[in-house]
Amino acid sequence: MTDQMLAPPRASEVSAPADVTGLLLSRYGGQVPRYTSYPTAAQFGPEVGADLHGEWLSQVSPHKPVSVYAHIPFCARLCWFCGCNTRVVNSKYSLAGYLAVLRAEAALVEQRLPAGVWANALHLGGGTPNLLSRDDLNALFDIVRHVFKLAPGAEVAAELDPASLTREWVRAAAFHGLSRASLGVQDLSPHVQAAVNRRESFEVVASSVAWLREVQVRSINLDLMYGLPCQTSADVVATLDQVLRLQPERIALFGYAHVPWMKAHQKLIDAKDLPGLSERFDQSAIAAEHLARAGYVAIGLDHFALPHDELAVATREGRLHRNFQGYTTDACKTLIGLGASSISSFAQGYAQNASTELDWRRRVADGVLPTARGRVVTEDDRFRGQIIERLMCDFAVDLEQACADHGRGLDRLAEEIGRLEAIIADGLAEFDGRRLAVTRRGRPFVRSVAAVFDRYLQPSVARHAPAV
């Protein structure tokens, strides 16, 4: 693949004429998963509990590295758009108490893992990991290093809130090997920030980036959003113009998912202030074109990176992957999650910890893995997951090769290929009898193309965000 092939479609290519765009949005702009896993978390159930989770841990190979995820479900403020599992906390005791339980959970994991398991990636997510004090941060790394041997040069990444980040925290994290950081920015327009209860200035973001540069964090990502209440295309572009001055290696541009039936605090957002589907589409397309002009390479559906960044290199070389943290270069087959609501991924399936902190604490106190639900992955799931991941990462997949990889013929996809006919007729994809490729016009709708291969999706069930 070349950078030219990966360039995002221009706004004019995907949004004109208006009547055609409106028709495409009505057909393919419905609710579909983001496909950070397959099967998705919507298919998790009680079939996976502590016993099966423990069995999968015991079967982890000590000869292949794993990735580790630690969830810190605390924030200093409640952002109304947030879809994460987190809560506002004002007490440092809560953080220290949480880490004590995390240590106990890690001991339960250690009891089941073979000795000598290596980790080549550690991701601190939340919530807001930078709410941890320096002592808490030291304790967290002590917990991880007690269970896993961190490989030399292991990637250490953290999700950070600029409003509560300090230079001291950055230096403490750098001591432990922080190499990649993601800063939540969303939008810098004051009226948009007021509408989502997240106020911060460009200067705060710039200071955070400067501190990360001081300690030579090699890749900085800024999270931005479109589709927020009271937000316009002009707001999106104005925010981009400011953050591009900081030259982040990566920018993630997410569409706001308004799911108040899942996240009650989103009811604080007045739905009438939300941009319509056509406006969301325009915001996304204009932003992508703006980033392309600034020299950023489009990565999959919603990420952008400077050409030298590892994500862009992996995209050019066909090594891009997608997991619960989004687009990644991490090729590990095993992800071990720690903390409330965290998800572990194994060759055999997925295991998710109890989502509520109280339930997670109770299970750990009882001396059992705090597994609440999960999914056993079938061979058909792996087959479909491979197709979906390649579409999400490369906008193309060799269906004949995918079938051969799983010992089946292309005729097994006859039903799905039939459903692709309308998508192809609408100019969103091309199929030559073997290779399915999403066109430039179709890229904003890639989730809907991938959904053709999802045998669990129930379009009538309101579980997901709009496709664009």
Side-chain angles (χ1 to χ4, degrees):
M1 290 186 187
T2 66
D3 282 355
Q4 181 62 35
M5 292 171 62
L6 290 166
R10 295 180 181 276
S12 58
E13 291 180 296
V14 298
S15 61
D19 56 339
V20 173
T21 300
L23 182 62
L24 295 177
L25 288 171
S26 68
R27 290 178 177 175
Y28 307 109
Q31 295 177 334
V32 288
R34 296 186 186 274
Y35 292 117
T36 53
S37 71
Y38 187 79
T40 69
Q43 276 75 55
F44 289 7
E47 65 188 85
V48 177
D51 290 342
L52 188 54
H53 186 184
E55 183 179 326
W56 290 346
L57 284 167
S58 70
Q59 294 169 1
V60 170
S61 170
H63 306 297
K64 296 180 179 180
V66 303
S67 294
V68 180
Y69 173 80
H71 189 69
I72 311 297
F74 304 108
C75 290
R77 55 183 174 176
L78 176 65
C79 302
W80 296 345
F81 61 79
C82 185
C84 301
N85 181 44
T86 186
R87 67 182 177 89
V88 175
V89 61
N90 297 313
S91 169
K92 293 296 183 183
Y93 172 78
S94 296
L95 294 168
Y98 181 83
L99 288 178
V101 182
L102 193 74
R103 187 182 296 276
E105 181 195 357
L108 294 172
V109 169
E110 183 184 22
Q111 289 170 15
R112 291 155 178 81
L113 277 176
V117 173
W118 285 85
N120 67 358
L122 169 62
H123 189 101
L124 308 183
T128 307
N130 55 287
L131 280 188
L132 297 171
S133 68
R134 184 176 61 182
D135 288 345
D136 290 338
L137 192 64
N138 291 339
L140 177 58
F141 276 91
D142 179 65
I143 291 168
V144 172
R145 288 193 174 100
H146 186 79
V147 180
F148 305 95
K149 294 190 290 185
L150 282 183
E155 179 178 271
V156 178
E159 300 169 11
L160 308 173
D161 182 354
S164 53
L165 189 64
T166 65
R167 175 181 274 159
E168 290 69 29
W169 193 95
V170 170
R171 289 175 174 174
F175 174 80
H176 292 288
L178 182 69
S179 56
R180 187 166 63 81
S182 184
L183 295 166
V185 177
Q186 322 316 341
D187 190 286
L188 292 172
S189 307
H191 63 279
V192 177
Q193 293 184 348
V196 296
N197 194 43
R198 185 187 177 92
R199 295 172 174 83
E200 65 194 21
S201 66
F202 170 75
E203 288 71 26
V204 167
V205 177
S207 293
S208 297
V209 170
W211 297 333
L212 292 165
R213 299 284 189 213
E214 281 180 1
V215 297
Q216 300 181 334
V217 169
R218 70 171 182 264
S219 184
I220 297 173
N221 172 74
L222 301 184
D223 281 346
L224 305 180
M225 296 186 80
Y226 64 90
L228 291 170
C230 304
Q231 190 180 38
T232 66
S233 293
D235 294 324
V236 174
V237 171
T239 293
L240 282 172
D241 284 340
Q242 292 182 79
V243 301
L244 286 173
R245 290 157 50 190
L246 305 175
Q247 294 188 299
E249 281 75 16
R250 303 178 188 180
I251 289 179
L253 181 69
F254 300 117
Y256 167 58
H258 191 59
V259 287
W261 56 88
M262 295 175 60
K263 297 295 179 180
H265 58 262
Q266 290 189 354
K267 294 176 182 178
L268 295 168
I269 290 176
D270 193 335
K272 76 176 189 311
D273 291 333
L274 294 172
L277 203 55
S278 179
E279 293 173 277
R280 285 173 59 98
F281 185 83
D282 288 344
Q283 290 174 10
S284 174
I286 290 169
E289 188 171 345
H290 204 70
L291 285 164
R293 286 199 300 268
Y296 284 77
V297 177
I299 309 294
L301 176 66
D302 48 23
H303 282 52
F304 301 84
L306 291 174
H308 68 269
D309 186 79
E310 294 171 354
L311 210 58
V313 174
T315 301
R316 289 195 294 272
E317 297 177 352
R319 297 185 291 103
L320 189 65
H321 293 280
R322 188 161 173 82
N323 63 20
F324 294 107
Q325 278 73 58
Y327 289 107
T328 179
T329 60
D330 187 359
C332 283
K333 300 298 184 183
T334 301
L335 168 68
I336 297 178
L338 300 171
S341 81
S342 65
I343 299 175
S344 295
S345 175
F346 304 89
Q348 302 93 328
Y350 303 102
Q352 183 173 21
N353 283 353
S355 294
T356 66
E357 186 188 342
L358 286 177
D359 193 14
W360 170 76
R361 285 174 177 265
R362 178 184 59 78
R363 292 173 187 243
V364 174
D366 288 342
V368 298
L369 290 169
T371 322
R373 62 184 197 136
R375 182 81 187 192
V376 175
V377 173
T378 67
E379 175 57 25
D380 187 65
D381 293 335
R382 295 186 185 94
F383 167 59
R384 293 173 182 275
Q386 177 181 329
I387 293 172
I388 289 171
E389 183 179 35
R390 290 339 311 156
L391 283 171
M392 294 295 295
C393 290
D394 303 333
F395 294 111
V397 61
D398 186 330
L399 292 180
E400 188 173 276
Q401 185 60 55
C403 287
D405 291 344
H406 294 268
R408 56 188 74 189
L410 192 59
D411 59 299
R412 292 285 294 273
L413 289 175
E415 181 180 343
E416 288 78 9
I417 291 172
R419 291 205 299 270
L420 285 169
E421 289 181 0
I423 291 174
I424 293 169
D426 284 332
L428 304 187
E430 298 172 344
F431 182 55
D432 63 6
R434 172 172 183 154
R435 183 175 183 271
L436 174 65
V438 179
T439 64
R440 290 171 71 84
R441 170 176 284 185
R443 288 183 186 182
F445 303 97
V446 65
R447 287 162 57 196
S448 293
V449 179
V452 169
F453 299 92
D454 184 348
R455 71 186 184 96
Y456 301 111
L457 183 63
Q458 298 175 281
S460 61
V461 180
R463 285 181 170 175
H464 308 289
V468 296

